[in-house]
Amino acid sequence: MPANDTEQLPETQAPPPTTEEASQRQAWSSEGYGLPPTSDKPPYGPVEPTPSRREPVERPLSKHATHLFTLSYLVFFAIFGTLARLGLQALTAYPGAPVVTGVLWANVGGSLLMGFFLEDKNLFREEWGDVNQNNNNNGTGIDPSAESKRHKSIKKTIPLYIGLTTGFCGCFTSFSSFIRDIFLALSNDLSDPSTPNGGYSFMALVAVILITVALSLGALIFGAHLALALDPLTPSFPFRFTRRFIDPLFIVLGWGCWLGAVFLAIWPPDRHDNGPEFWRGRAVFAVVFAPLGCFLRYYVSLVLNARLPAFPLGTFAVNIFGTIILAMCYDLQHVDGIGASSVGYGASSSILTSCQVLAGVMDGFCGSATTISTWVAELNGLSRRRHAYFYGTVSIGVALGFFVIITGSLRWTRGFVEPVCK
């Protein structure tokens, strides 16, 4: 280090007068060589003290920037997951389909991806950028199970990981839509009704529960197995590149897409056409409400899930709350003069708009606030089996009870009217 650099150091960081292992020092021995007389001068000039070089200190990561990146990822992947769920439901709903509950395939796909991300060890290998520490931890002296737990706990704090799991997987799956399908099976209102009496409706109810839970749990485990099988081929996200370029990019993508969806909802492209405005009712309103539901689930789970380790209270709360909101919207959508009309497609534009908004709240807000992927991951990850059975049974029972009280009171008294935006 140059002399002028040492002069600028503060007093507490001044270099020591001599280094601990100076290169000019030699090991003198009284046996082989005689000690130099004190009057002799050293063969070289006076040795200047070599200042110690300070290691470069990395700037600490900003908590506010990390929080902004996390929210941006949640916005983008909430929109992406909602569109993927609606698109997959449209693809799997056709005459003669073996499964008439379209959200089943989205729940299975989201659970598979959740299992992959939970078990994967390569995508976020660099964690928060401390590559040297990660390499040292992979040595033979470290317990592999302890290292795996440490890595899983750390990667859950990375914004991109939160966006992929809480954002995409959570919004790709929907617990409230699953409960709605259970009720429709109970009330004989599925897309292919063929049950002659209530006994068969009960069998349909049990079938929807068993198929969804079993396939989602199986997909979660298969996703974990897939992550282990692809471990040698899975790349890693470079931390510095992600932090400097990818994270800021998703600020623009996430909030920009959400703002664009709001503009499309206000000024739909088919407003000046001669026919009714069907364009924004298919997905735009759902995209507008999806990030709000994702934010609700993220913050409630962050606050409540750690309070009861044997019962994830946060996920339970948002699943029940989202199911209640969906039941209320489903009721309003099937009431004449609000979301439905006895004259069918000749209804006024206000009824059509209200029906589309209610559909957007159900598909966007409720679909994103409730989740199957996190729910089955918690069922599979609880420490004791009886806790998992209790948590799963209470979640389905309470949610279905609210849905029957709210929606069943209309269905079995006045009856449903066909929505104008279906």
Side-chain angles (χ1 to χ4, degrees), residues 284-330:
V284 174
F285 280 126
V287 169
V288 171
F289 292 112
L292 299 177
C294 186
F295 287 160
L296 175 67
R297 174 164 47 86
Y298 172 69
Y299 283 111
V300 172
S301 299
L302 203 64
V303 173
L304 298 181
N305 268 357
R307 296 194 175 185
L308 292 176
F311 193 93
L313 192 59
T315 306
F316 174 79
V318 293
N319 280 345
I320 300 303
F321 177 76
T323 302
I324 293 174
I325 299 299
L326 188 143
M328 296 170 61
C329 293
Y330 195 84

Side-chain angles (χ1 to χ4, degrees), residues 75-382:
V75 170
F76 179 82
F77 285 110
I79 295 174
F80 188 30
T82 300
L83 291 177
R85 170 164 43 86
L86 295 178
L88 192 57
Q89 285 183 234
L91 288 175
T92 55
Y94 55 89
V99 179
V100 295
T101 55
V103 76
L104 171 67
W105 299 109
N107 289 336
V108 171
S111 300
L112 188 149
L113 291 176
M114 177 66 81
F116 180 88
F117 291 134
L118 288 175
E119 191 64 33
D120 172 74
K121 301 177 183 178
N122 290 329
L123 289 177
F124 302 94
R125 181 185 295 273
E126 295 188 11
E127 296 175 354
W128 286 101
D130 195 356
V131 182
N132 295 328
Q133 181 180 356
N134 298 339
N135 294 334
N136 295 333
N137 291 338
N138 292 332
T140 57
I142 303 299
D143 184 12
S145 61
E147 170 61 19
S148 177
K149 291 181 180 180
R150 185 201 65 83
H151 176 68
K152 289 180 180 180
S153 63
I154 291 179
K155 74 178 182 180
K156 290 180 180 179
T157 62
I158 299 175
L160 179 55
Y161 178 84
I162 296 174
L164 291 172
T165 54
T166 304
F168 181 77
C169 295
C171 297
F172 191 24
T173 61
S174 175
F175 183 86
S176 57
S177 299
F178 162 56
I179 299 298
R180 179 199 59 196
D181 290 340
I182 297 176
F183 173 80
L184 294 179
L186 180 64
S187 62
N188 195 23
D189 287 312
L190 288 173
S191 58
D192 185 20
S194 58
T195 55
N197 55 54
Y200 290 100
S201 296
F202 175 78
M203 294 176 63
L205 176 148
V206 175
V208 172
I209 295 176
L210 292 181
I211 291 174
T212 302
V213 175
L215 288 181
S216 298
L217 275 172
L220 179 81
I221 298 173
F222 176 73
H225 293 173
L226 190 64
L228 295 176
L230 298 179
D231 184 75
L233 304 176
T234 306
S236 299
F237 291 118
F239 171 77
R240 296 185 182 275
F241 179 79
T242 302
R243 186 74 179 187
R244 293 179 181 178
F245 300 101
I246 303 299
D247 291 351
L249 175 63
F250 272 84
I251 295 179
V252 180
L253 290 178
W255 300 99
C257 291
W258 196 11
L259 186 61
V262 173
F263 287 158
L264 288 176
I266 298 174
W267 299 289
D270 57 352
R271 167 154 295 180
H272 300 289
D273 296 344
N274 295 328
E277 298 177 359
F278 288 105
W279 193 86
R280 63 180 178 180
R282 295 173 180 173
V284 174
F285 280 126
V287 169
V288 171
F289 292 112
L292 299 177
C294 186
F295 287 160
L296 175 67
R297 174 164 47 86
Y298 172 69
Y299 283 111
V300 172
S301 299
L302 203 64
V303 173
L304 298 181
N305 268 357
R307 296 194 175 185
L308 292 176
F311 193 93
L313 192 59
T315 306
F316 174 79
V318 293
N319 280 345
I320 300 303
F321 177 76
T323 302
I324 293 174
I325 299 299
L326 188 143
M328 296 170 61
C329 293
Y330 195 84
D331 258 4
L332 296 175
Q333 196 182 41
H334 289 77
V335 173
D336 189 11
I338 299 179
S341 177
S342 57
V343 297
Y345 289 99
S348 63
S349 60
S350 61
I351 296 179
L352 176 62
T353 302
S354 63
C355 180
Q356 292 174 343
V357 171
L358 291 171
V361 173
M362 290 188 291
D363 294 330
F365 179 81
C366 299
S368 298
T370 62
T371 175
I372 284 286
S373 58
T374 304
W375 183 63
V376 295
E378 292 166 346
L379 290 177
N380 186 67
L382 288 176

